Amino acid sequence: MLLLRIHTVLLLVSTALASWDNNLNYRSPSVNHDGLGINLRKVHKRMLTKRDGSTPYQTGQLNFTHGVASGDPWETSIILWTRVSPQYENDRSNVTVEGTVPLFSHETEEYIHTSSSPICVDWRVATTPDMSGAAATSGTAYTTSDIDYTIKVEAKGLNPFTTYYYQFTVCDTQKSSPIGRTKTSPTEDDSLTPLSFAVFSCSNYPNGYFNAYGNAARKDNFDYAIHLGDYIYETARGNLSVDPRAANPQREIVTLYDYRTRIAQYRSDLDLTLIHQQHPFITVWDDHEIANNNYRDGSSAMNNTEQTFNKYGGVSFDKRKMNAVRAYFEWMPLRQADLDDNLRIWRSFKMGKLVDLIMLDTRSYDRSITSLGWNNEYVYEISNDAGRSLMGSRQENWFYNSLLQSKERGATWRVIGNQIVFSRINSTSTLEADEAYIPFNVDAWDGYTGNRNRTFKHLYDNMIGNNIMLAGDSHQNWVSDMVWLGEEGYDPATGAGSIGVEFAGTAVSSSGPGGNLSSNIEGSQLIVRDNQELQWQEGYYRGYYELHIDAQKIEAQFYGSPSVASRNPYEVSLANFTVYAGDNHLARPVAGGVVASGAIQEGEVRMTNLTLNTETGEWGYQAAEYNTMFISYPSS
């Protein structure tokens, strides 16, 4: 009898711990480094002892504070996310842990007074919008202050390329989250199912409203959202007591609490909440999720030096990076990765036989020194050194192997999600008279030409075609044939000699070159003149682009918001491009010979105020009503 009781108790404990383990945010971000997660037995024990005398939360105290989200679609599973909390604000886990704590550990129990009242949540996945009928899959998960009351679960046992609906409910109550919609990916051998993506980057909350997210969500023309980074910004702007889009906290963020609070503020934007509720995301970070122009040893404002350690309140750059990464994994609907010896987010997705989506980290993993604001001439001088890499040797070799394996498995297209502009961009025409002669942006691939040449060599030597490079970061639109200048012949008139196409998009709301529409067009004309492989350039509009992919072609459609100074549902169709399978270059005439803004190599620019209202589906001329692109703030 005693043995039976012991067995029963152990079974109950095991079952309880299994429910806790369903919340992926308690785990390490790395599948191979369990020690980097939170010790669930300690957390569970704390819940049983009630050491702080607290009582379980009443239903009325709990709220789903930031909606729902999904991401990282596989053919039979997907990640689901929400936050349920007794407080809207974030957990103040600010302590910098010291001593023998494992590197990148989530365990802060020894250092802070954490909650001893767990929150239990049931989750359910269905095939109907109203969640009726039998569940496709379901489960239970717990959350606590340790992980900022977030919940992230993997919904398994699903069917490929199927639309599902999901909802979270506080256990034994009627308090539920909004209903979310998501979609799994096709099977690996599915060569017939066409796919569509919406591609975003660079959303700066104080700078403007996230109209691009809302416009794309309301039109509902795509399967999956790709975010190439700068999902948040680490710098501060505005006054919270005065400005509705002022950054919170009102300082440059460095602590775990800071990063949690900033990403939570961004997730309060109604258009970002909407698109997360309706579409699964596939994300990588750029630099601002951690710090501007960061690289393996620091960033433009903070390095591992005594000076910046003291300036930022006793926080090293390494610790700041850990804080940023932990908050990102808590708040974003992405899977664990093989962390290996660094902070890894690079990974790939087999989207049927049609697309291999390869997501790179060209910023934070193991990048050689970049532009820090004072060393541009030095970085330009060493830009072709063979030892320089955007990715580090481990990721670089993985990237080349992924490209080759994609070809060998017969995938039609290789779509590469990358942060920074890949193509050569000679920007001499934009230099001021007193500026040093540095014709390229050394923070982009132009500052790592050895790395870019190795990529080109791998593609050409192995005859790997149908490559589509995606980029963000620059806050402007760039569409180029991918050309190894000086090594492979290229005919700008036909595109012959190219090995693929780059689609680099503008920002959701981050700043642009400045000036009005006409002055931006003049600047684009000079840039296009000086770069023969650059087929279209545009810098005025904020927005996004869509990719519609089948076995014969890819169609890319670029959209712009006439203003992000206010929340509005309007957008302008800027340009449309086609790439045919096997051509490895943009179809001619490029963009059908006509674009609505910017400059094109061969064709014409026809400016327009014709605007789509994405709420009503009606066309009008509302773009003419907007003369200011960004939110303005008083000069400091």
Side-chain angles (χ1 to χ4, degrees), residues 482-501:
M482 284 173 57
V483 181
W484 196 6
L485 293 170
E487 295 292 335
E488 299 289 335
Y490 173 63
D491 184 348
T494 66
S498 175
I499 198 65
V501 170

Side-chain angles (χ1 to χ4, degrees), residues 195-197 199 415 470 503 545-549 554-556:
L195 298 172
S196 296
F197 301 88
V199 186
V415 178
L470 312 180
F503 294 115
Y545 57 101
E546 294 178 359
L547 298 176
H548 300 277
I549 307 176
I554 289 182
E555 294 181 333

